[in-house]
Amino acid sequence: MATIQDVARNAGVSVATVSRVLNNQNVVAKETAIKVEKAINELNYEPSVLGRNLRTSESRLILVLIPSIANPFYTEIIKGIEDTAIEQDYNILLCETGSNPKREAIYINLVRNRLADGVISMDPAVDKVRLTELAKKYPVVQCSEYDKVGTISYVTIDSELAAYQAVRYLIQIGHKKIGLINSDNKYLYARDRYEGYIKALNEFDLPINTDWIYNVESVRFQDGQQAMRGLLNQPDRPTAIFADSDVLAIGALKEINSNGLNVPKDIALVGFDNIDFSNMTYPTLTTISQPMYKMGSASANMIIHKIKGKKVGNIILDHELIIREST
């Protein structure tokens, strides 16, 4: 394997000159640079990325924290982050935290130890104090979930408005008994979507029946099934359900079908996220569409700008109500 010294000898220049050419420095004469590039090609020389990173104090690596890789909501966001990062000569390291503080601390230490240049956090259960302390010295961006009273830049949508519009739509097509399958209230997005649900009911003077509100501890298909089972067992059950994620909505749909009921004739159903599976169910799922790829791309641009020392603000992207067969 050729070394940088071999390239220097072949081109008749110093090692420092070869290094300047490799690092795209314009201080090398064009004729000399051509000789160096020719030697690199002839010797099939591959520069050491580790060596370059040590010289520049950059890893060109961005950490992406997610609670679970199994949740399809994150797929398009990750794709947006990765595509945008690669275009700008950065790589990403996907870090599944499992919402475990110890695992989270291990990943965050990679940034403190200069093994990564910055962090994009999508974990709603992230330790906000630890993340805020990290952000005082290192580049950090939050995507989707964020801290309303914090100082960390974020990319998100208006979850309260989106939930309000989803529930208002159910009311406008004739429903007065609307249930809610919601995530744990310790998460900001769950609280915001609950507030949107309540706002729509209040606007139309509809009663808020706590028996029709079901909170789940995790966002899994089976959690949606279990929540729907509880709602179906109500003596006065709702005629429509708003679920704060498509995964929960699809689980609810399975339970409704298993009980021999028809969607939307017996119970209408609205989800949230517009994951790929939402258009593959029977019937297809009405849902709030989040611009997931764009969220990922925007957060990648933001973290790279921060790494380069640029100031960035917050971004709230548009959402859309996608009406399909389940309503």
Side-chain angles (χ1 to χ4, degrees):
M1 181 181 294
T3 66
I4 192 169
Q5 288 81 7
D6 295 330
V7 173
R9 280 192 295 270
N10 185 292
V13 299
S14 68
V15 170
T17 299
V18 176
S19 179
R20 292 187 187 100
V21 173
L22 290 172
N23 288 294
N24 298 314
Q25 294 184 18
N26 296 324
V27 295
V28 180
K30 185 176 180 180
E31 185 178 321
T32 302
I34 292 172
K35 287 197 298 183
V36 171
E37 289 166 0
K38 182 181 177 183
I40 288 171
N41 292 330
E42 287 177 352
L43 297 172
N44 292 319
Y45 171 69
E46 294 183 5
S48 168
V49 174
L50 178 59
R52 182 200 68 184
N53 291 347
L54 289 172
R55 288 191 302 274
T56 62
S57 298
E58 288 185 331
S59 67
R60 312 296 292 186
L61 184 67
I62 298 166
L63 302 188
V64 180
L65 305 185
I66 61 169
S68 172
I69 200 168
N71 189 336
F73 166 68
Y74 297 111
T75 305
E76 277 298 299
I77 297 181
I78 293 167
K79 191 173 186 300
I81 293 172
E82 186 172 38
D83 287 351
T84 303
I86 288 174
E87 284 175 2
Q88 300 184 57
D89 198 27
Y90 282 83
N91 294 304
I92 70 168
L93 177 63
L94 196 57
C95 306
E96 185 178 33
T97 66
S99 297
N100 183 324
K102 290 183 179 178
R103 292 178 67 175
E104 176 190 299
I106 291 170
Y107 294 131
I108 284 177
N109 281 336
L110 293 177
V111 179
R112 289 198 174 102
N113 293 327
R114 301 288 185 179
L115 297 174
D117 293 335
V119 177
I120 297 173
S121 175
M122 290 190 280
D123 188 352
V126 70
D127 185 327
K128 292 182 175 61
V129 174
R130 177 186 285 143
L131 199 67
T132 300
E133 284 300 311
L134 184 75
K136 290 178 180 178
K137 294 183 179 179
Y138 306 98
V140 178
V141 166
Q142 290 186 291
C143 181
S144 184
E145 187 77 353
Y146 67 102
D147 186 356
K148 277 187 175 179
V149 297
T151 57
I152 300 174
S153 302
Y154 58 81
V155 180
T156 191
I157 67 162
D158 189 333
S159 279
E160 181 177 337
L161 176 61
Y164 161 77
Q165 291 171 341
V167 177
R168 184 182 65 178
Y169 163 70
L170 287 171
I171 296 169
Q172 288 173 334
I173 61 174
H175 293 281
K176 296 182 179 180
K177 297 159 65 176
I178 302 169
L180 171 67
I181 299 177
N182 202 17
S183 302
D184 196 309
N185 281 329
K186 66 184 179 182
Y187 303 135
L188 174 62
Y189 76 88
R191 297 195 300 272
D192 281 349
R193 292 170 197 180
Y194 170 81
E195 290 299 327
Y197 165 81
I198 296 297
K199 181 179 179 181
L201 295 182
N202 285 338
E203 182 177 307
F204 289 86
D205 295 320
L206 296 177
I208 297 167
N209 188 337
T210 55
D211 290 336
W212 295 344
I213 299 173
Y214 200 110
N215 287 91
V216 298
E217 292 184 1
S218 56
V219 182
R220 301 175 301 173
F221 177 83
Q222 57 265 40
D223 294 306
Q225 281 187 286
Q226 182 181 348
M228 195 67 237
R229 193 174 302 130
L231 291 167
L232 290 177
N233 285 332
Q234 295 294 326
D236 181 25
R237 71 186 183 210
T239 64
I241 300 294
F242 169 57
D244 86 337
S245 90
D246 286 346
V247 173
L248 295 175
I250 293 169
L253 177 61
K254 171 68 175 177
E255 188 64 24
I256 294 169
N257 290 337
S258 297
N259 281 269
L261 298 172
N262 177 271
V263 175
K265 184 178 178 181
D266 296 313
I267 300 179
L269 188 61
V270 177
F272 204 111
D273 292 335
N274 195 30
I275 62 174
D276 287 342
F277 294 120
S278 67
N279 200 29
M280 302 175 190
T281 57
Y282 181 77
T284 53
L285 186 64
T286 294
T287 184
I288 292 290
S289 177
Q290 295 203 61
M292 293 174 285
Y293 184 92
K294 188 180 290 186
M295 289 167 68
S297 180
S299 61
N301 278 320
M302 285 171 68
I303 196 67
I304 291 169
H305 285 161
K306 279 198 167 190
I307 290 168
K308 294 179 178 179
K310 299 178 182 178
K311 290 185 178 181
V312 300
N314 303 319
I315 299 176
I316 300 177
L317 296 172
D318 292 334
H319 59 269
E320 181 182 4
L321 176 63
I322 306 294
I323 298 172
R324 298 196 183 108
E325 298 166 341
S326 68
T327 55

